[in-house]
Amino acid sequence: AQSVTQLDSQVPVFEEAPVELRCNYSSSVSVYLFWYVQYPNQGLQLLLKYLSGSTLVKGINGFEAEFNKSQTSFHLRKPSVHISDTAEYFCAVSFSGGYNKLIFGAGTRLAVHP
Amino acid sequence: DAGVTQSPTHLIKTRGQQVTLRCSPISGHKSVSWYQQVLGQGPQFIFQYYEKEERGRGNFPDRFSARQFPNYSSELNVNALLLGDSALYLCASSFRDRLGDIQYFGAGTRLSVL
């Protein structure tokens, strides 16, 4: 069965420091990978996606992620965070073919402190 | 351009009642998906519709049903509400990139069952 694991439930970090949010998935078929961000009392906003091609993907708000097929990972990174990046971040996977439902991880709470 | 719109934003019901949630997709998107997000967890897939046909269903009881209309808007119905149905219900509309579906989410409907 396919699954997504976000290894950290909470990540505290100081403003302007770098951050990495970790995501691993399990699948026996080709996957598409996504990161979404959820601000308090809001829906999900797409940060970035990997469908094919370059394994380094750049998204909005200065975030980027790298697809590592051998390690089945898709970690999210930002070189310098801002207070406004405080939010819940969800890694999600869908599968090529079929109807592309998203399977989400449990989320990582990023808390940026001044 | 308008994003995915959901109504109502908040809803309070009592056990045993029925509820209908509504979703309007982004213009040009023909597919709508529904997800349930329980507090502190990642979203769980409920249904996906494309061109008024159900393409997929998650592991939810038959109390949950949905439909899609000719204008691609959608309704999610939940009968015989239980306390455990309290959650944020998210609607996503999607278009097919040349490689796969990209899902865009609305702000959600927060359902509280008392």
Side-chain angles (χ1 to χ4, degrees):
Chain A
Q2 295 90 355
S3 65
V4 177
T5 302
Q6 293 185 242
L7 297 159
D8 306 293
S9 59
Q10 296 186 63
V11 173
V13 64
F14 287 109
E15 195 173 18
E16 298 184 5
V19 70
E20 178 180 81
L21 306 184
R22 297 180 293 170
C23 173
N24 286 88
Y25 68 92
S26 66
S27 174
S28 57
V29 299
S30 297
V31 297
Y32 303 132
L33 295 155
F34 306 84
W35 276 97
Y36 286 87
V37 60
Q38 186 174 38
Y39 298 101
N41 300 313
Q42 294 188 26
L44 302 177
Q45 181 181 6
L46 180 65
L47 270 180
L48 48 79
K49 62 185 184 294
Y50 171 80
L51 301 181
S52 74
S54 173
T55 57
L56 183 62
V57 179
K58 294 190 182 297
I60 62 172
N61 300 341
F63 284 93
E64 65 180 32
E66 187 160 16
F67 171 52
N68 188 318
K69 188 174 182 179
S70 63
Q71 297 187 3
T72 60
S73 68
F74 191 54
H75 301 332
L76 181 70
R77 302 185 183 100
K78 186 171 183 178
S80 176
V81 295
H82 303 288
I83 296 289
S84 59
D85 293 323
T86 294
E88 191 84 19
Y89 291 79
F90 292 96
C91 180
V93 61
S94 67
F95 307 96
S96 60
Y99 56 88
N100 296 152
K101 72 174 184 180
L102 289 170
I103 296 176
F104 286 87
T108 297
R109 170 75 177 167
L110 176 63
V112 181
H113 302 284
Chain B
D1 288 341
V4 178
T5 57
Q6 293 186 243
S7 63
T9 55
H10 294 86
L11 206 51
I12 299 175
K13 293 286 188 178
T14 57
R15 282 178 296 175
Q17 286 189 311
Q18 175 265 341
V19 68
T20 298
L21 311 181
R22 296 177 176 82
C23 173
S24 293
I26 294 171
S27 177
H29 288 193
K30 298 181 179 180
S31 181
V32 169
S33 300
W34 288 95
Y35 293 81
Q36 181 196 63
Q37 186 180 18
V38 174
L39 194 63
Q41 298 181 20
Q44 298 291 318
F45 172 75
I46 309 175
F47 286 108
Q48 187 177 93
Y49 277 76
Y50 177 75
E51 295 270 15
K52 298 181 292 181
E53 296 291 327
E54 181 183 304
R55 295 173 75 185
R57 181 186 184 117
N59 188 25
F60 280 81
D62 291 343
R63 299 184 296 108
F64 288 77
S65 63
R67 54 180 175 168
Q68 187 177 31
F69 299 98
N71 66 354
Y72 304 114
S73 67
S74 178
E75 287 183 350
L76 175 70
N77 295 284
V78 186
N79 293 322
L81 285 167
L82 303 174
L83 295 180
D85 295 330
S86 295
L88 180 67
Y89 288 85
L90 295 163
C91 173
S93 74
S94 58
F95 72 93
R96 180 161 285 272
D97 184 89
R98 62 184 180 86
L99 292 171
D101 284 357
I102 311 297
Q103 294 191 26
Y104 295 88
F105 286 81
T109 294
R110 186 163 299 280
L111 173 65
S112 297
V113 182
L114 306 178

